[in-house]
Amino acid sequence: MKRPRRWFTLRNQIFVGFMLVMLFVLGIASVLTYSSVSTMLKSNAEKHIGQTAIQANGRLDALIAQIDTITTQIATNDYIQELLLSEVDGAETPFSARQSLLSILGSYQSYVLGIKALELYSNDYSRLFPLNDIPLNDTIDQEWILAADRGKGELVWLGIDPGDPSSVLALKRVSLVDRWFSSGGFLMLRLDKAYFQFDEQIGGEAGESILLVDTNQQPITTNFNLDSGLDLAQLLGNQEKNISINGSDYIEVKQYSETTGWTLVFFTPVSYVTNGISTLRTAILVSGAIGVLLFLIMSLILSTTITRPIFKLIKAMRGARFGVLQPNPMFSNTMEINELNNSYNQMVENMNELIRVVYEKEILQSRTELKALQAQINPHFLFNTLEAFYWSLEEKGEEELANLVVSMSSLFRYTISTPNQDEWVTIEDELAHIRRYLQLMDIRLADRLTWSIDASEFKHLKIPKLLIQPLVENAIRHGVENMEGPGKVTISVEAANRDGYVRITVRDNGPGMDEDTLRDLWQAMEGGKVVSSKGTGVGVVNVRQRLRLYYDSVSGGRHELEVISRPGEGTSVSFEIPSEYGGPL
């Protein structure tokens, strides 16, 4: 292993770790504080902007309501009603009657300083006042006249006068009271644009700006410099809250007037909103820098307090490499460091004692190993002895006993493994071993045992050695041996219901097991008591553990034994293994 670099010490790790945690905590706290406070400041500023825009819109509605009141009074004036009624009846208005309108309309005009002129037209669009003969449809478009007629007395706001950009036009149909409020003529107003100024409601500390445009997007009033190439279409078509005007960023709020169809646009500089945010950012940075500096000092002191006694302990440990195992006389104010030092001192004492004990036992151990080597029995000696028995029985004509000796020799050779033998065998080899075992059991049970083996399709699949044989042994010892009549054992190897798996089943027609015995069997497999008094009871447990050991890590699932048994019907033990797994690499 590579040696760690000099800067990669515990002290530096503690220092850097604490520093990163501190920076993370301060960063999160700063971001959350900045985000919440800035959101609050922006929200308050936007509320202020919205309230100011609503107030300006209310002022506009008040001005419009004032004009609507004046025009209603003019339209319902008795003299004007009689004059227009006679016009509708076909009588021509004399010049003197038209002159009388000057004093009447002049008195109304004096009520509102913003009214530049009042014009009265008959139902056929001819002008009654002023005294020139310019018809109404030559002054404004026909669509506005139709709109006023559909309004039936409601004031229609036309916007900027095409002939006089300093004037704003409004049109009202005069309804005749004595003729069921039918149309009697039209009243048109010319208002000065200065009438719609809102200078007293904008500007101030926030430096707000306002823009009022008519339905044709013509500016009625604004404190922007329109000569600087300001794009009104961009201002009115903006769908976002923020907009850039002449290099400055503004927050835009729009108010639409249902009465006039005009749009009131309110602009507030973004710098007004972010002024408090900049102060907040500075405060967070300064407090964060002070906190980091203090934390640096504290973490340096803390890391030094922890690592200094550890360095002394390391120095004592290094002396052990040269055979100097001496206790470390050190005391620290930190409880954990003291415990570590005490553990080291105890370890030194134990090691010294172990060295003494090991030295005294070296000779005894050497003698014991020599005796163990001399007591080992070579398995080949057993096989050679069985072979000698076989030839001796052959010479004496004891063929049945000779075959029994051969079967026993094959069983021993298959069962006893040496380090050079493979722990994985094919199903064909395992079943051959089971046949030899069944032949011996057949002799032992005096021909009461019959069996069948079916594994034609999966002969070459590799499995752990002696995985099936313990189940066959259990079927004979706990099944067939407990029967008075003949018994049968069936071993089948077939494709499982799920793809890629092989199912191996061992059945017997023995007395079977009740529910209590089955429950005891599962407890035994989970590490409980032994189910039967015959044998040690570890055969089924061993098979289950080997299944889970060899196959759980391969297929990613749990491999269990499936035991089905009913009293008087026998017992079936089966398990499933992957058909593509051929043993460890």
Side-chain angles (χ1 to χ4, degrees):
M1 296 180 61
K2 295 182 178 179
R3 294 183 61 186
R5 298 182 180 180
R6 295 184 60 85
W7 59 267
F8 202 68
T9 60
L10 178 60
R11 178 182 178 181
N12 292 342
Q13 292 182 42
I14 294 175
F15 182 76
V16 173
F18 284 2
M19 192 64 206
L20 292 177
V21 172
M22 181 62 180
L23 291 176
F24 178 76
V25 172
L26 285 178
I28 295 296
S30 300
V31 170
L32 293 178
T33 303
Y34 180 80
S35 176
S36 59
V37 176
S38 61
T39 301
M40 181 181 65
L41 292 176
K42 289 181 179 179
S43 177
N44 293 336
E46 290 177 358
K47 288 181 180 178
H48 168 73
I49 296 169
Q51 291 174 356
T52 306
I54 292 174
Q55 291 175 1
N57 194 51
R59 170 65 191 280
L60 175 63
D61 291 339
L63 294 176
I64 292 171
Q66 184 181 19
I67 298 299
D68 187 62
T69 301
I70 292 296
T71 55
T72 301
Q73 292 176 359
I74 296 174
T76 56
N77 182 272
D78 293 339
Y79 184 82
I80 294 177
Q81 285 280 320
E82 292 178 1
L83 184 66
L84 293 178
L85 182 60
S86 62
E87 281 284 332
V88 171
D89 292 338
E92 184 178 354
T93 302
F95 184 79
S96 59
R98 295 174 61 185
Q99 281 185 325
S100 300
L101 291 174
L102 177 61
S103 60
I104 296 173
L105 296 178
S107 63
Y108 285 109
Q109 184 175 349
S110 62
Y111 290 148
V112 180
L113 297 178
I115 299 178
K116 296 174 66 175
L118 292 171
E119 300 177 4
L120 184 63
Y121 295 86
S122 63
N123 214 19
D124 60 355
Y125 306 155
S126 60
R127 179 180 288 185
L128 300 179
F129 182 85
L131 301 180
N132 53 31
D133 296 330
I134 301 176
L136 179 61
N137 53 358
D138 286 350
T139 305
I140 59 176
D141 293 336
Q142 183 69 26
E143 59 176 327
W144 293 109
I145 301 175
L146 297 177
D149 189 47
R150 289 192 300 269
K152 297 180 180 181
E154 293 184 0
L155 195 61
V156 177
W157 292 88
L158 282 65
I160 298 297
D161 184 3
D164 183 9
S166 65
S167 300
V168 178
L169 298 180
L171 184 65
K172 186 183 188 73
R173 191 189 84 172
V174 180
S175 299
L176 299 177
V177 179
D178 294 338
R179 291 292 177 89
W180 304 283
F181 295 95
S182 60
S183 177
F186 297 91
L187 177 66
M188 188 168 70
L189 290 83
R190 295 181 184 272
L191 298 172
D192 192 351
K193 288 172 59 176
Y195 178 73
F196 298 98
Q197 292 293 336
F198 302 98
D199 291 340
E200 68 277 7
Q201 295 192 15
I202 61 174
E205 295 180 359
E208 296 95 340
S209 301
I210 197 169
L211 173 64
L212 178 64
V213 295
D214 60 12
T215 54
N216 296 321
Q217 296 187 355
Q218 295 296 320
I220 296 176
T221 180
T222 182
N223 56 353
F224 276 120
N225 184 12
L226 299 179
D227 296 334
S228 61
L230 192 65
D231 189 356
L232 293 180
Q234 178 188 3
L235 298 180
L236 299 176
N238 179 47
Q239 301 297 326
E240 304 294 334
K241 284 187 177 181
N242 294 351
I243 190 171
S244 179
I245 303 175
N246 296 331
S248 301
D249 294 330
Y250 292 86
I251 297 176
E252 181 181 28
V253 178
K254 298 178 183 177
Q255 294 286 336
Y256 178 76
S257 176
E258 296 288 345
T259 304
T260 61
W262 298 348
T263 302
L264 181 66
V265 189
F266 205 75
F267 301 92
T268 301
V270 175
S271 58
Y272 167 73
V273 179
T274 59
N275 186 28
I277 298 177
S278 301
T279 304
L280 173 65
R281 186 189 303 113
T282 302
I284 290 176
L285 292 177
V286 172
S287 60
I290 295 175
V292 170
L293 180 60
L294 293 176
F295 193 81
L296 281 173
I297 297 173
M298 294 301 298
S299 60
L300 183 61
I301 296 174
L302 179 61
S303 61
T304 303
T305 304
I306 294 175
T307 57
R308 182 175 296 171
I310 294 178
F311 288 148
K312 293 182 180 179
L313 185 59
I314 291 174
K315 184 178 180 181
M317 289 181 177
R318 286 175 178 171
R321 293 186 300 177
F322 304 101
V324 183
L325 293 177
Q326 297 292 337
N328 182 32
M330 181 190 69
F331 177 78
S332 174
N333 294 324
T334 305
M335 182 181 66
E336 290 80 5
I337 300 299
N338 275 331
E339 289 294 331
L340 180 62
N341 187 66
N342 292 335
S343 299
Y344 170 74
N345 292 335
Q346 293 176 3
M347 182 189 67
V348 169
E349 293 178 3
N350 294 336
M351 289 182 65
N352 289 330
E353 179 66 20
L354 288 173
I355 290 173
R356 184 185 64 80
V357 173
V358 169
Y359 178 77
E360 292 176 354
K361 291 184 177 181
E362 281 183 352
I363 298 176
L364 180 61
Q365 183 179 359
S366 299
R367 292 174 180 174
T368 304
E369 290 178 354
L370 179 59
K371 291 180 180 180
L373 290 173
Q374 292 173 348
Q376 288 182 351
I377 300 176
N378 192 338
H380 292 286
F381 172 75
L382 177 61
F383 299 149
N384 293 335
T385 302
L386 291 175
E387 290 290 336
F389 287 163
Y390 169 75
W391 290 113
S392 177
L393 292 172
E394 278 285 335
E395 291 176 356
K396 295 179 180 181
E398 299 289 343
E399 295 184 359
E400 184 176 356
L401 292 177
N403 292 331
L404 178 61
V405 171
V406 171
S407 297
M408 290 180 62
S409 177
S410 299
L411 283 175
F412 288 143
R413 288 183 183 274
Y414 185 84
T415 304
I416 299 175
S417 299
T418 64
N420 296 327
Q421 290 178 323
D422 194 359
E423 287 294 327
W424 289 75
V425 297
T426 63
I427 289 181
E428 184 176 15
D429 294 336
E430 180 78 1
L431 294 179
H433 168 70
I434 292 173
R435 287 190 184 93
R436 291 190 292 268
Y437 173 76
L438 290 173
Q439 289 172 359
L440 293 175
M441 291 298 102
D442 189 19
I443 297 173
R444 176 173 171 269
L445 296 175
D447 297 331
R448 287 196 301 117
L449 174 65
T450 60
W451 70 85
S452 65
I453 299 176
D454 181 15
S456 58
E457 187 177 352
F458 300 99
K459 289 183 177 180
H460 301 291
L461 176 63
K462 282 194 173 185
I463 60 174
K465 184 188 291 185
L466 298 177
L467 188 64
I468 307 175
Q469 191 270 344
L471 303 180
V472 177
E473 182 177 352
N474 281 349
I476 295 175
R477 299 183 67 183
H478 302 289
V480 177
E481 283 187 359
N482 295 331
M483 298 175 61
E484 296 181 358
K488 183 176 182 179
V489 176
T490 303
I491 301 100
S492 62
V493 182
E494 57 188 358
N497 291 332
R498 49 177 173 170
D499 294 338
Y501 276 80
V502 175
R503 187 177 186 86
I504 300 175
T505 306
V506 178
R507 298 184 183 89
D508 67 76
N509 62 344
M513 294 180 286
D514 55 18
E515 293 183 359
D516 293 337
T517 307
L518 273 176
R519 184 168 55 253
D520 292 341
L521 175 63
W522 283 109
Q523 289 179 357
M525 285 192 289
E526 294 294 338
K529 63 184 182 66
V530 178
V531 177
S532 174
S533 60
K534 296 183 178 181
T536 61
V538 298
V540 177
V541 176
N542 180 271
V543 173
R544 178 174 179 264
Q545 291 177 345
R546 295 176 73 198
L547 274 174
R548 297 178 62 178
L549 176 64
Y550 285 118
Y551 294 105
D552 281 3
S553 61
V554 176
S555 59
R558 292 176 65 89
H559 293 74
E560 295 285 355
L561 288 176
E562 180 181 349
V563 182
I564 301 175
S565 182
R566 295 181 180 87
E569 297 182 7
T571 302
S572 172
V573 182
S574 61
F575 58 88
E576 295 181 358
I577 59 175
S579 61
E580 299 296 332
Y581 184 56
L585 298 177

